[in-house]
Amino acid sequence: MTPTLSFHGAARTVTGSCMEFRTEQSRIIVDCGLFQGSRSLEALNHGPLGFHPKQIDAVVLTHAHIDHCGLLPRLVAEGFAGPIWCTQQTSDLLEYMLADAGRIQESEAERRNRRRDRAGEAGFRPIYTEADGLAAWRQTRPIARETWFEPAPGFRARLWNAGHILGSASVELEAGDTRILCSGDIGPHNKAFYPGPEAPAGFDHVICESTYGDRTREHVTIEERRRLLEAEILAARARGGNLIVPTFALERTQELLLDIATLSDSGRIGGAMVYVDSPLASQATKVFKKYAGELEDAGGGDIFSHPSIHYVRDVAESIRLNSVSGAIILAASGMCEAGRIRHHLLHNLHRRDSTVLFVGFQAEGSLGRVILDGAQRVRISGQDVTVRAAIRRIDSYSAHADQSELLEWIGQRQPIAGSLFLEHGEAGALAELRRLASAQQPGASIVIHEIGERDELGAGKPARRLQTGRTELHQAVGRDWQNAYADLATSMKRRLAEIEDAATREKAIREMREVLDRYNEFRAGKRGR
């Protein structure tokens, strides 16, 4: 009974995690995540899953981040009726994460359909609803870490602490004689709240995430990280405007609140007022409070009810923040692709006295990455916004292991008798991590997959390719034509205004239209032949 492995997401990109393991008896998937980033990448959420949900016997979930769990509601809505195995903490978080994801899908569809620039186009439909999200949560089946269970006939599994976020796990699988380890997302050294990642050694095949496979961060202690945050807060206050922090509602928000409360109590940042403008972050924080006694660095107390921290409950209160200045505003989403952060960017990016501080990974093609890469103008919800705010970054809040820590984790899993698969990474990160892993283990079988590829995972031997991938999806990864269009659209008015007279500007516009007309005529001619 030799298992096979198919990748349905997070192959040559960092979102959409989904791996299918199949034997003659059963089919299970590890993770079922949402694609995030460019519009082309997001469109994959509406496309074929690569399998029929009714044919899947079980899901094993590594953690509650949306890029790992965000398509579970679609899976359930389309007929999956089996268990979703995960830790108790992950199950508790999913009640809020999946319901919120459904609300976002519904509100984003409604917003896009209202936009004037979409007038006359076909209606945009949500991938799933809030009710679908809650239905998926009800299918979770919590299991303790380091406890063997049978997710489906022919498979045994155990979960191990991954040190990434609350409840996160690596997944150990056995199918017949084959032993497999799926890393999930691996946490870094000196991570607040949790001990370092743990897992056994000696597998036939290991699947390892590669988010920071091309980057080594300066390793700092929690106190050193707090000093970095202190400096950014004081500099932002000196500029006079708001400090806007795009943050993931789960984990990053709670780490920031821990550090801000500590800095405030010691008098190091004055009387800074902190607004958590994310209903989901508020709900996730309640789960953290439930497990406060188990969290390192929290001291067992209620660090999340500090007097300087205010949780924004409704849209009206969020809008009132437009009139504040000198505040710290934490808002989701972390890559600025949805949620209330876009509202705050609209009202602060153009202000020279404001600061935008990035504290997490920004996927290629996302609005956060565009801003971080130095764009002078960006397009948000159909509006062009000039970037005048100070754009800052702190890398040490990352919940992912960096290059050196990934190599250390891989080394600790040796010997790997078959293949090492690298996934959940952009092209440069994957290539560099493979180069370094090959140098550490000369002659090792190291595989980088395409979406749709399928391999046979024999015991004690390298994986054998059974099916090639969907290479047409390359164009969906990274920046797409809509990123390029947004760049052009946001700069066009300024560049036309720089032309010396009205007649010449009219001529430039006319010539641009002629280029598009000629291209459309050429395409029509090719179709007619």
Side-chain angles (χ1 to χ4, degrees):
M1 184 177 62
T2 303
T4 64
L5 164 64
S6 300
F7 281 85
H8 300 297
R12 301 180 187 269
T13 184
V14 295
T15 61
S17 289
C18 186
M19 293 174 281
E20 178 189 357
F21 294 90
R22 188 188 309 185
T23 68
E24 294 175 357
Q25 290 179 275
S26 304
R27 297 170 70 171
I28 69 171
I29 58 174
V30 173
D31 290 341
C32 190
L34 200 71
F35 287 99
Q36 298 169 302
S38 69
R39 289 286 183 250
S40 294
L41 196 60
E42 287 181 356
L44 299 182
N45 296 317
H46 295 265
L49 291 171
F51 53 85
H52 197 290
K54 291 183 179 179
Q55 296 176 342
I56 300 300
D57 296 290
V59 175
V60 183
L61 190 63
T62 62
H63 63 287
H65 272 151
I66 289 299
D67 63 320
H68 290 257
C69 71
L71 277 186
L72 286 173
R74 177 184 169 185
L75 193 73
V76 170
E78 294 183 11
F80 170 69
I84 300 171
W85 296 91
C86 59
T87 64
Q88 181 65 62
Q89 296 94 327
T90 295
S91 176
D92 290 349
L93 289 165
L94 287 180
E95 178 180 3
Y96 305 113
M97 297 294 292
L98 296 182
D100 181 79
R103 285 192 295 272
I104 288 174
Q105 292 297 327
E106 293 178 277
S107 63
E108 281 292 293
E110 182 182 357
R111 181 188 62 78
R112 290 187 190 185
N113 289 332
R114 284 200 313 266
R115 280 173 50 170
R116 286 175 292 180
D117 59 353
R118 283 186 52 85
E121 295 186 21
F124 193 89
R125 298 183 61 185
I127 304 167
Y128 53 80
T129 66
E130 178 180 359
D132 295 329
L134 288 171
W137 164 66
R138 292 187 188 101
Q139 289 179 214
T140 59
R141 189 169 305 177
I143 187 75
R145 290 191 185 99
E146 301 184 35
T147 300
W148 284 107
F149 63 99
E150 185 180 277
F155 286 99
R156 284 210 316 157
R158 278 192 297 185
L159 304 180
W160 295 88
N161 169 46
H164 174 59
I165 67 168
L166 184 67
S168 65
S170 298
V171 178
E172 179 182 2
L173 286 175
E174 287 186 358
D177 296 330
T178 304
R179 295 186 67 222
I180 305 160
L181 182 67
C182 306
S183 70
D185 286 353
I186 298 298
H189 298 321
N190 295 323
K191 178 79 171 65
F193 299 137
Y194 322 111
E198 301 167 312
F203 289 90
D204 295 297
H205 304 278
V206 171
I207 298 104
C208 181
E209 68 117 325
S210 310
T211 309
Y212 284 108
D214 60 348
R215 191 180 310 173
T216 299
R217 297 185 300 269
E218 181 182 2
H219 291 177
V220 299
T221 65
I222 291 177
E223 175 51 36
E224 289 169 336
R225 185 184 72 188
R226 287 173 182 158
R227 285 200 291 269
L228 293 171
L229 180 62
E230 175 188 1
E232 294 294 346
I233 291 173
L234 293 177
R237 297 193 72 186
R239 292 184 191 103
N242 294 316
L243 173 60
I244 307 299
V245 188
T247 185
F248 298 97
L250 174 54
E251 190 72 23
R252 196 64 42 79
T253 294
Q254 291 75 32
E255 284 189 297
L256 284 164
L257 294 180
L258 168 66
D259 287 356
I260 290 170
T262 302
L263 292 171
S264 182
D265 283 342
S266 59
R268 292 159 61 178
I269 55 173
M273 298 304 296
V274 183
Y275 296 92
V276 181
D277 192 9
S278 166
L280 177 59
S282 299
Q283 299 285 8
T285 301
K286 291 180 182 177
V287 181
F288 274 75
K289 289 181 181 180
K290 176 180 176 180
Y291 294 100
E294 303 174 16
L295 302 178
E296 295 182 350
D297 310 301
D302 186 2
I303 59 171
F304 304 113
S305 298
H306 194 273
S308 68
I309 298 171
H310 301 269
Y311 295 93
V312 178
R313 303 298 180 186
D314 54 40
V315 173
E317 190 177 354
S318 176
I319 292 173
R320 284 196 292 272
L321 294 179
N322 294 345
S323 61
V324 306
S325 197
I328 301 171
I329 301 174
L330 312 182
S333 69
M335 291 190 284
C336 309
E337 285 302 291
R340 294 184 183 179
I341 187 62
R342 297 172 74 87
H343 164 80
H344 294 297
L345 291 174
L346 272 171
H347 287 86
N348 285 274
L349 269 178
H350 69 281
R351 293 175 53 176
R352 297 186 188 279
D353 63 349
S354 288
T355 305
V356 179
L357 175 63
F358 289 96
V359 293
F361 185 83
Q362 304 299 311
E364 191 173 1
S366 66
L367 175 61
R369 180 72 162 264
V370 171
I371 295 171
L372 195 56
D373 284 348
Q376 295 180 342
R377 291 177 67 84
V378 294
R379 195 166 180 82
I380 302 175
S381 301
Q383 299 183 51
D384 295 343
V385 183
T386 301
V387 180
R388 298 191 183 95
I391 307 301
R392 303 291 298 167
R393 179 179 192 170
I394 297 178
D395 268 342
S396 51
Y397 277 95
S398 176
H400 286 270
D402 71 359
Q403 182 187 86
S404 63
E405 291 161 334
L406 288 170
L407 288 169
E408 179 182 336
W409 186 89
I410 292 169
Q412 291 171 346
R413 309 286 79 79
Q414 299 293 341
I416 300 172
S419 295
L420 168 65
F421 292 85
L422 301 180
E423 51 100 40
H424 200 286
E426 294 175 352
L430 292 164
E432 183 63 8
L433 189 60
R434 176 163 62 179
R435 184 185 71 81
L436 294 173
S438 296
Q440 283 189 349
Q441 299 290 326
S445 168
I446 302 178
V447 181
I448 296 175
H449 256 288
E450 303 279 359
I451 292 176
E453 284 184 347
R454 185 173 172 227
D455 280 47
E456 181 181 78
L457 304 183
K461 57 185 178 182
R464 182 170 69 90
R465 181 67 43 80
L466 300 177
Q467 179 178 305
T468 58
R470 299 170 60 191
T471 55
E472 79 276 9
L473 298 181
H474 278 171
Q475 61 188 9
V477 175
R479 289 176 59 86
D480 65 356
W481 74 269
Q482 296 192 69
N483 291 126
Y485 166 72
D487 288 345
L488 176 64
T490 53
S491 65
M492 188 178 298
K493 185 175 181 180
R494 174 181 54 80
R495 295 177 70 179
L496 285 170
E498 292 171 354
I499 296 176
E500 61 276 11
D501 62 84
T504 307
R505 284 194 289 272
E506 288 284 350
K507 182 176 182 242
I509 294 170
R510 187 167 59 252
E511 288 176 349
M512 284 188 286
R513 284 176 174 162
E514 288 172 355
V515 169
L516 290 175
D517 289 342
R518 285 198 301 271
Y519 183 76
N520 286 336
E521 290 169 4
F522 170 74
R523 294 290 296 170
K526 286 189 68 176
R527 286 194 296 269
R529 286 201 291 270

